[in-house]
Amino acid sequence: MKLIALLMPFLFILAACSAAPAIDEGAQAPSAERQAQLTGLFDRLSGDEAGAKKAAAQAARLEELDRRFLTSLWGTRSSAPQAAMRLGEALAEAGAHEEAFAWYLRTFRALPAHDALRPYVRYEMARNCLAMGKPDDAINLLANRLDPAPLPEALQAKYDALLEAAAKASR
């Protein structure tokens, strides 16, 4: 009887070690059929403006697993900055600011160094930082622009207003 009492903790440890590992839900992928549907949706992000915006809005409403699959397609199906920008806009509108920031960052990295769209993307990245409660990051994005070209007048006003809002939020 004493031997059984002494062996019980060992048996519990042995049972715990031999149990099947828990399945990480995040490691799962959509079914093959769903992957095909999502790939088609991703490809539409690079299409005509109206259809692409509709596809981006649809993508922003997807479950997290599906959106992660869409992310995995970046660089394999398309690296078009406009596709990433559209998805960033839709995600920001849906309130998914961290994901939107990531898509804007992809956009920014895919654009050529002197592309006229870069300051607009930088502004959107800063807006999402502020929405995520990261005013200092927003300030850094807005104030530390390396491009010597002046901002368009309308965009300068937006930069200034967002910079002021970020400064207030930072206090």
Side-chain angles (χ1 to χ4, degrees):
M1 196 58 123
K2 284 186 178 182
L3 185 57
I4 293 175
L6 290 172
L7 290 176
M8 279 305 247
F10 177 71
L11 292 174
F12 282 122
I13 292 171
L14 184 61
C17 291
S18 65
I23 296 174
D24 178 14
E25 300 265 340
Q28 294 179 353
S31 68
E33 181 180 332
R34 184 67 177 145
Q35 287 182 25
Q37 293 169 347
L38 293 169
T39 300
L41 178 64
F42 185 85
D43 289 343
R44 289 197 321 264
L45 293 172
S46 296
D48 69 278
E49 188 70 19
K53 284 192 173 201
K54 187 175 178 181
Q58 183 181 352
R61 292 188 303 267
L62 294 172
E63 297 289 324
E64 182 184 353
L65 179 66
D66 289 345
R67 288 194 318 265
R68 271 192 276 133
F69 180 77
L70 287 180
T71 300
S72 75
L73 296 174
W74 177 256
T76 61
R77 301 290 295 185
S78 170
S79 293
Q82 193 62 34
M85 181 83 167
R86 289 170 177 152
L87 191 49
E89 289 169 352
L91 287 163
E93 191 173 305
H97 298 290
E98 287 186 36
E99 285 181 79
F101 179 87
W103 282 102
Y104 283 125
L105 184 57
R106 287 179 184 94
T107 303
F108 192 80
R109 289 178 176 163
L111 288 170
H114 297 292
D115 192 289
L117 191 57
R118 283 177 73 100
Y120 292 93
V121 175
R122 190 180 212 46
Y123 171 79
E124 293 300 332
M125 290 167 59
R127 272 185 17 143
N128 280 279
C129 282
L130 190 57
M132 290 185 291
K134 299 178 179 180
D136 293 335
D137 292 341
I139 291 168
N140 284 332
L141 279 166
L142 297 171
N144 296 325
R145 234 173 45 89
L146 297 176
D147 189 353
L151 293 170
E153 193 174 314
L155 185 58
Q156 182 65 58
K158 287 181 167 185
Y159 261 63
D160 293 343
L162 189 57
L163 191 55
E164 185 177 321
K168 284 181 185 177
S170 183
R171 294 182 195 139

